[in-house]
Amino acid sequence: PCNFMFVASMNPCPCGFFGSEEKECTCSSKAISKYIGRISGPLLDRIDIQVEVTPVKYKNLEYEGKAESSEEIKNRVNKARKIQQKRYLNEKIYSNSQLTPKLIEKYCVLNNEEKKLLEMAFNNLGLSARAYGKILKVARTIADLDNKENIEINHLAEAIQYRSLDKKYWKNWGINENNKKVRISVFNTGDNISEDNIQRIWGRFYKIDSSRNRNDGGTGIGLSLVKAIMNSYNSEYGVINKKDGVEFYFDIELIDIK
């Protein structure tokens, strides 16, 4: 056994542009699934902080605002490390990363508001018990960097966002090994769709928002095309109401091209 810090990076697909708002991805769905599948869910679950780095736009390169210098960051990190060393003086550890489940209960105490936020994230993101502990340790570190004695809701919210990367890519592009199909889903935030409208949205020119018209570019034909294509291939498709939004999905069959 040894102590080490693991740092890694990867592209979301072979071409590197899957999920990009600037450039179109040229990879097939099978290529994306195979590429992402190299990193298993259990392995990703063991990485404490997961961050998506998007391309920097030209206008941001000319940013003239005051940024925190490397020296200032170094001082803030060193101060946080001293806080932890002092806190754990009698625990035979020296950093938050070494906290055991029992010590997490002792040093990562949450108030009711923070508990509700963590419970909501745990249920909505499908977090594991391992992720639960990692979120609390990261939140404790963020609070230390902020020179706060207790974990506050903004510290916890920041820690939670470092656990959502796998839900964006791995969940929506997983391969069902039994029938060799890929489910592609898109999540729209907003109000849920009523059960009556869920049955009607697949009809041509039907629009939930009646204020839009064809002159504005809203024909309502998109989902009817999805329905026609999916039915022609006997593939599953549908809509699922979820908390804070709606998920549209369809399944496609993987075909080996030799």
Side-chain angles (χ1 to χ4, degrees), residues 89-102:
L89 191 61
N90 298 321
E91 302 291 356
K92 297 182 180 180
I93 63 174
Y94 56 84
S95 70
N96 295 329
S97 64
Q98 298 174 296
L99 287 171
T100 63
K102 182 175 289 188

Side-chain angles (χ1 to χ4, degrees), residues 144-158:
D144 291 341
L145 288 169
D146 198 23
N147 198 27
K148 298 292 184 179
E149 182 177 353
N150 298 317
I151 297 175
E152 299 176 1
I153 195 162
N154 58 306
H155 306 138
L156 185 62
E158 182 178 346

Side-chain angles (χ1 to χ4, degrees), residues 33-232:
S33 292
K34 184 177 180 180
Y35 190 87
I36 290 179
R38 294 176 179 177
I39 305 297
S40 67
L43 175 59
L44 192 68
D45 197 37
R46 286 168 168 80
I47 300 177
D48 295 35
I49 299 177
Q50 307 158 12
V51 180
E52 181 176 14
V53 181
T54 56
V56 179
K57 296 182 179 180
Y58 179 79
K59 63 180 181 180
N60 294 331
L61 295 175
E62 297 181 322
Y63 176 71
E64 297 179 354
K66 186 180 183 302
E68 191 176 20
S69 68
S70 297
E71 187 66 25
E72 290 173 326
I73 295 174
K74 175 185 175 182
N75 292 335
R76 192 155 56 91
V77 170
N78 287 337
K79 187 175 181 179
R81 290 186 67 86
K82 289 180 180 178
I83 290 173
Q84 294 173 33
Q85 289 170 357
K86 183 178 179 181
R87 179 191 298 135
Y88 305 130
L89 191 61
N90 298 321
E91 302 291 356
K92 297 182 180 180
I93 63 174
Y94 56 84
S95 70
N96 295 329
S97 64
Q98 298 174 296
L99 287 171
T100 63
K102 182 175 289 188
L103 291 178
I104 287 177
E105 293 181 6
K106 182 178 179 180
Y107 293 107
C108 299
V109 180
L110 302 178
N111 293 323
N112 289 333
E113 189 176 8
E114 287 78 23
K115 287 180 179 179
K116 290 179 181 178
L117 175 62
L118 186 56
E119 181 181 4
M120 182 175 66
F122 193 87
N123 294 330
N124 291 346
L125 297 177
L127 299 174
S128 65
R130 182 183 294 108
Y132 173 87
K134 289 184 178 296
I135 286 174
L136 289 176
K137 288 191 282 187
V138 171
R140 177 66 271 173
T141 300
I142 295 171
D144 291 341
L145 288 169
D146 198 23
N147 198 27
K148 298 292 184 179
E149 182 177 353
N150 298 317
I151 297 175
E152 299 176 1
I153 195 162
N154 58 306
H155 306 138
L156 185 62
E158 182 178 346
I160 289 172
Q161 76 174 10
Y162 296 141
R163 304 296 308 181
S164 59
L165 190 61
D166 58 331
K167 306 308 172 187
K168 178 177 179 179
Y169 292 106
W170 275 258
K171 181 179 179 180
N172 290 345
W173 288 86
I175 299 177
N176 186 325
E177 294 294 343
N178 294 324
N179 54 23
K180 296 297 182 182
K181 289 185 177 181
V182 174
R183 170 158 295 186
I184 300 174
S185 61
V186 177
F187 183 80
N188 288 343
T189 57
D191 297 330
N192 285 169
I193 301 175
S194 68
E195 292 299 321
D196 289 340
N197 281 330
I198 281 182
Q199 301 302 321
R200 296 173 181 173
I201 59 175
W202 305 101
R204 187 176 181 184
F205 299 127
Y206 183 83
K207 301 184 296 300
I208 295 176
D209 184 359
S210 58
S211 65
R212 298 182 65 193
N213 55 54
R214 296 178 205 175
N215 293 329
D216 295 329
T219 65
I221 197 173
L223 290 178
S224 67
L225 291 176
V226 172
K227 175 183 177 181
I229 294 171
M230 292 298 101
N231 284 341
S232 68

